[in-house]
Amino acid sequence: MLWEGDGNTSPNFSQRETMYNVSGVPHTVFNGTETVVGGGTDMYPYYLDVYNQLIYNESPLHIDFVGYTDGNGGVDLVADVILTDDMSPSGNIKLIFILTYWFSNNYWCTVQRYHEESFDLTHYGESATYEHHFNLEPGWNMENVSGVVMIQNLSGNHQIYQSSITNEFEDPIIHIPFAYENGWTTVGLPLIVSNSNYQHVFPDAIDNTLFSFDGGYTLETELENGEGYWIRFAQSGYTNFIGYELEEVTISLIEGWNMISGVSEVTTIHTISDPYELVIPNTIYIFDSGYYLVNEFEPGHGYWLRSTGYGDIVISINGANNSSLRTRDWLSETHTITINGTDLHFGGDIPDKVLLSYSLPPLPPEGAFDVRFSDDMRYCRDGCVIEVRGAKKFFIEYEVADSSSWVLISANRRYELTSRGELDIENEGNLILKLKE
């Protein structure tokens, strides 16, 4: 790189000239050793040997470096830094972002943008992400642009601990297709977007049907990352989320039920970071013409989750496995009744201390299908009232796992349930399910 004091003048030229105490014809300083080359001389062969010696020196840190175009005449430089050994340097340590441009020289590029900030990592294993935005000149050819990051001591012998360069700038804008059915559905925002208005994100949504939940439903117009929402469509269709990748999101929970959403990639529920063990096992649901338990979060969908209290959880593309959400399957010891595709469980003797794991989220908006026991549960020991909404007829399948007999009572009929079987009945209101006397 060249810091030029005339012609294509470089930012911080005077600062670095003073720092190295050099001036006049081209100078280069490698770790405190100054080399001078006369004006008009090809500097490349003079410094190649020195460079080849220094490039293999061990460094106490590693840098992953990438550049992005922003679509508005600028670039974003992002450096993920991790210490591979302890650093205890004295002096003025800076992380420096540089943007260079090749004007005409075959071997050297000219510094055109410069930014420095404090660097304070000191111990093995520490890591941090550093970012900076630079504007480009209107006439620049991107093939001639390079980004550089380096970590340097601006005092002492001005040691450069590590550096990295890229001349490939990625387009960070990604597209995530999302299909939906007509009626009510739960959604989320899986990307970082410039316009989060629901009519922009979901242009075919019915007006004034975006609702968040915070102990009660609230009409919204803007979507936020990590939040879940109800929304209604007049017909089936699809949309495309367009924006920047969302790798991680921190979600603040309240006690009870919460509507949440995930990140830009599919993640399993077992990678939720939940240091205070707030999430009640077996209470993460999606709505798809009824509530269903899930094992993973898909981009664009909204989910229900029940919490024991207030606090934060984190959903991340790189989340570690969390075993606290795994629990014993008590339902294997119960009977099952399935109404229009939704399972309920009865009988058995699930302990009271785990009953919240078999609770259901709040009722969906009016017109959406829902089936549950009257105490907002999907499990009932005996004497159960089944509430069904949004269906004129019931297709029922049942399985009684032992030799017991149960009765299902509608407004006008009684049905005896033994072993397994199927029923087609009209919706005459709530159903009663109890052990036969």
Side-chain angles (χ1 to χ4, degrees), residues 58-62 82-87 159 161-162:
E58 291 187 4
S59 170
L61 52 87
H62 173 79
I82 184 169
L83 293 194
T84 55
D85 200 351
D86 288 339
M87 280 182 63
Q159 180 177 0
Y161 294 94
Q162 184 62 280

Side-chain angles (χ1 to χ4, degrees), residues 299-374:
H301 290 280
Y303 299 89
W304 285 97
L305 173 154
R306 190 163 189 172
S307 172
T308 60
Y310 291 80
D312 291 346
I313 61 171
V314 177
I315 299 175
S316 173
I317 290 174
N318 301 309
N321 187 61
N322 176 11
S323 60
S324 67
L325 292 178
R326 304 180 190 276
T327 186
R328 174 179 170 179
D329 180 18
W330 289 95
L331 294 180
S332 62
E333 303 171 15
T334 66
H335 316 304
T336 305
I337 183 169
T338 303
I339 301 177
N340 292 4
T342 298
D343 293 339
L344 299 176
H345 298 269
F346 59 99
D349 191 20
I350 295 180
D352 290 345
K353 66 180 181 180
V354 297
L355 283 180
L356 286 182
S357 288
Y358 304 98
S359 56
L360 284 166
L363 287 167
E366 191 68 33
F369 174 74
D370 183 78
V371 57
R372 63 183 60 209
F373 291 117
S374 58

Side-chain angles (χ1 to χ4, degrees), residues 46-96:
Y46 281 83
Y47 300 129
L48 182 59
D49 289 342
V50 181
Y51 170 82
N52 286 335
Q53 294 172 27
L54 294 176
I55 195 64
Y56 295 108
N57 286 357
E58 291 187 4
S59 170
L61 52 87
H62 173 79
I63 302 176
D64 285 323
F65 186 47
V66 64
Y68 297 104
T69 57
D70 69 355
N72 293 307
V75 294
D76 295 301
L77 302 181
V78 182
D80 292 317
V81 182
I82 184 169
L83 293 194
T84 55
D85 200 351
D86 288 339
M87 280 182 63
S88 54
S90 60
N92 185 18
I93 311 301
K94 297 291 186 180
L95 182 138
I96 301 170

Side-chain angles (χ1 to χ4, degrees), residues 48-226:
L48 182 59
D49 289 342
V50 181
Y51 170 82
N52 286 335
Q53 294 172 27
L54 294 176
I55 195 64
Y56 295 108
N57 286 357
E58 291 187 4
S59 170
L61 52 87
H62 173 79
I63 302 176
D64 285 323
F65 186 47
V66 64
Y68 297 104
T69 57
D70 69 355
N72 293 307
V75 294
D76 295 301
L77 302 181
V78 182
D80 292 317
V81 182
I82 184 169
L83 293 194
T84 55
D85 200 351
D86 288 339
M87 280 182 63
S88 54
S90 60
N92 185 18
I93 311 301
K94 297 291 186 180
L95 182 138
I96 301 170
F97 285 113
I98 295 168
L99 206 65
T100 68
Y101 194 79
W102 271 271
F103 285 99
S104 60
N105 195 290
N106 289 331
Y107 303 110
W108 300 85
C109 55
T110 300
V111 173
Q112 287 289 280
R113 302 287 187 269
Y114 181 97
H115 168 80
E116 65 182 43
E117 56 188 86
S118 296
F119 181 81
D120 53 9
L121 302 182
T122 57
H123 296 296
Y124 169 80
E126 290 183 342
S127 63
T129 298
Y130 300 85
E131 303 180 31
H132 190 70
H133 176 82
F134 287 121
N135 290 321
L136 303 174
E137 293 296 328
W140 278 0
N141 182 345
M142 284 302 298
E143 294 182 358
N144 295 335
V145 177
S146 292
V148 179
V149 61
M150 62 183 181
I151 297 167
Q152 183 177 22
N153 191 341
L154 299 188
S155 59
N157 67 356
H158 310 119
Q159 180 177 0
I160 296 175
Y161 294 94
Q162 184 62 280
S163 64
S164 185
I165 186 170
T166 183
N167 60 2
E168 295 182 359
F169 293 90
E170 302 176 13
D171 181 356
I173 302 296
I174 61 177
H175 299 245
I176 299 178
F178 180 78
Y180 50 81
E181 299 296 326
N182 68 303
W184 289 101
T185 190
T186 49
V187 297
L189 185 61
L191 296 174
I192 300 169
V193 300
S194 58
N195 185 348
S196 64
N197 184 278
Y198 80 101
Q199 292 175 317
H200 177 80
V201 179
F202 299 106
D204 294 328
I206 297 174
D207 290 347
N208 298 317
T209 62
L210 183 75
F211 290 90
S212 63
F213 184 84
D214 187 12
Y217 290 122
T218 302
L219 183 65
E220 304 282 4
T221 58
E222 306 287 329
L223 293 96
E224 296 183 12
N225 296 127

Side-chain angles (χ1 to χ4, degrees), residues 211-280:
F211 290 90
S212 63
F213 184 84
D214 187 12
Y217 290 122
T218 302
L219 183 65
E220 304 282 4
T221 58
E222 306 287 329
L223 293 96
E224 296 183 12
N225 296 127
E227 299 292 324
Y229 302 88
W230 283 107
I231 199 167
R232 191 174 187 180
F233 298 97
Q235 59 187 13
S236 301
Y238 73 93
T239 189
N240 270 301
F241 298 107
I242 303 174
Y244 296 93
E245 184 176 39
L246 179 66
E247 295 185 354
E248 180 177 291
V249 63
T250 299
I251 302 170
S252 296
L253 301 180
I254 63 171
E255 182 178 357
W257 288 103
N258 298 259
M259 292 189 79
I260 68 168
S261 60
V263 290
S264 300
E265 296 182 11
V266 175
T267 59
T268 75
I269 64 171
H270 301 296
T271 59
I272 296 174
S273 175
D274 182 18
Y276 304 108
E277 298 188 358
L278 297 170
V279 181
I280 298 174

